[in-house]
Amino acid sequence: MTGDDKNSEKLLFPMRERSFAIIITRGFIMPTLNKIFDKCGVALYQNESLDLDHYYQEPYQDEGDEIKVIGEPFETDKSKKIRKYDLFAEDRNFSNFSFFMDGSRRTYKIGDIVIDGKKIYPVVVAQIRAGCTERDSQKKLHSYQSHQTIQRKNLLLLSDKVNTVDFKEIQQRITRTKVAQEMFLEVVNYRFEPEKHNIPVNAAIAKANTMMHDIEIGILSDIVKSGALDTDRMLVVDGPLQFLRQDTGKLEFADLFYNVIGVSKSFNPMLPTSSKSKRGGTQIGAELLKLEYGERTPVFLKENDRGRRFGVWYLRIRPKNRMSNPLEGIIKIEKMALEDYYDSGIPTDVVDTISLSLLNECSPTCYGCDERWASHLYPVYLTETLIKSTFESDLVFINNFKRDFR
């Protein structure tokens, strides 16, 4: 190449030599995630990222539930018969629900760490989101208190087998970087319990779920404190009321759920209806096959590890002859029992009003937009869509952890 050619090249690519020098310099100054871990004495092996939400089958929303022995219904009307609503005689325009809350998460495995040169634990990252919508007097749905955005967090989850000193150093080195601050990234640990989680990655997912529930409880607390909820302006939580870790055991916690119900789109049809079910007795799915459109089961009693009592019932919200599966079009509803109702059960008129309101929420549908449409309430679908729109794409989010942490 002649001298003139070299000068011409510099004119065509005036920044090339300088940019190359900058890239080399950055490599020395700004550490990758691997180097941050290495400096803290922890070996991180980043491999091909795995989308955990697609790799592992999504569990039923009521996973871990247990219905007490079916005997006397947990409602004031003690009849054990299926309850039917005359949908032609009822008012089909009213609904007791004005608020709809949902939380969502996406989890990915980005590598593994070796603890004490003996055991391998996954490194998991997660996006968690939660938010609430409100339907106003003009029947328009919008974010609760429109100035509030969807609440979000991004997580880097490490096993608690990493010793405290190393974990704190990793946490500080990462969270003080500009990249982590721009991502709203938190570094947290998870505890793997073999008898509970089966594999370590499930423990990381459970931790992400717990932190998502923390956000939901915070949103619910704000709504309750504002005085926005009432018996004719209730709130629907998408999914069961599984806030066991957030439960303080105090009456104030139960007060949060006075005007709140949980609605599950998916549920375990093999859930035992009594201790005999484990030895060949009746499972809840067999009972649900009897439900026709506009019918519900009696209210069953559910009690969690904290001693909280819940009324649980199932309602068919779609005609059976239009479903591809006989259990499609059925939802599971939960309501926390007030202390006054611990013995008598939930008032039947309250259960009936809630059930009729849910039947009225079934139109329009999200048919063609969501494969779960048959068990989806449209306002909940819109809330879920709003929340999921705030997720970064999988590719962009995962690549954040392959960048230099500056």
Side-chain angles (χ1 to χ4, degrees), residues 43-178:
L44 168 65
Y45 298 95
Q46 282 186 279
N47 42 39
E48 185 176 350
S49 300
L50 182 65
D51 183 347
L52 299 175
D53 302 317
H54 289 92
Y55 189 79
Y56 294 102
Q57 185 176 1
E58 186 73 17
Y60 294 115
Q61 286 184 296
D62 63 347
E63 185 180 32
D65 264 11
E66 180 182 350
I67 292 175
K68 297 294 182 182
V69 177
I70 290 184
E72 187 177 90
F74 191 59
E75 60 180 302
T76 50
D77 181 348
K78 301 304 180 183
S79 170
K80 298 179 183 179
K81 295 181 179 180
I82 287 175
R83 318 302 167 91
K84 182 176 178 59
Y85 300 109
D86 185 350
L87 299 182
F88 293 100
E90 299 289 350
D91 180 2
R92 301 307 308 277
N93 295 312
F94 91 100
S95 175
N96 276 32
F97 302 110
S98 297
F99 299 88
F100 306 89
M101 187 170 71
D102 188 25
S104 190
R105 55 133 176 95
R106 290 182 179 173
T107 52
Y108 319 83
K109 178 176 177 288
I110 62 167
D112 298 282
I113 54 175
V114 180
I115 307 295
D116 299 328
K118 297 178 181 179
K119 293 189 176 181
I120 296 176
Y121 288 91
V123 176
V124 174
V125 294
Q127 304 183 70
I128 57 174
R129 306 286 187 267
C132 183
T133 57
E134 177 184 6
R135 185 167 52 202
D136 60 26
S137 57
Q138 283 75 45
K139 305 298 183 183
K140 293 181 179 179
L141 197 71
H142 51 79
S143 294
Y144 170 65
Q145 294 186 348
S146 298
H147 63 281
Q148 289 190 354
T149 56
I150 303 301
Q151 296 191 30
R152 65 191 75 188
K153 284 184 181 181
N154 294 320
L155 308 174
L156 175 64
L157 298 121
L158 306 176
S159 169
D160 66 350
K161 298 298 182 182
V162 178
N163 73 63
T164 305
V165 175
D166 289 342
F167 174 78
K168 288 293 184 184
E169 188 176 355
I170 292 171
Q171 187 181 52
Q172 290 171 4
R173 284 178 178 270
I174 292 176
T175 54
R176 71 189 179 196
T177 64
K178 186 178 179 182

Side-chain angles (χ1 to χ4, degrees), residues 14 17-18 27 85 141 160 174 195 210 224 241 262 290-291 312 318 324 401:
E17 293 181 12
R18 195 168 20 158
Y85 300 109
L141 197 71
D160 66 350
I174 292 176
E195 67 284 353
T210 296
V224 171
L241 303 179
K290 303 172 186 176
L291 288 180
V312 177
R318 310 284 180 199
S324 60
F401 298 93

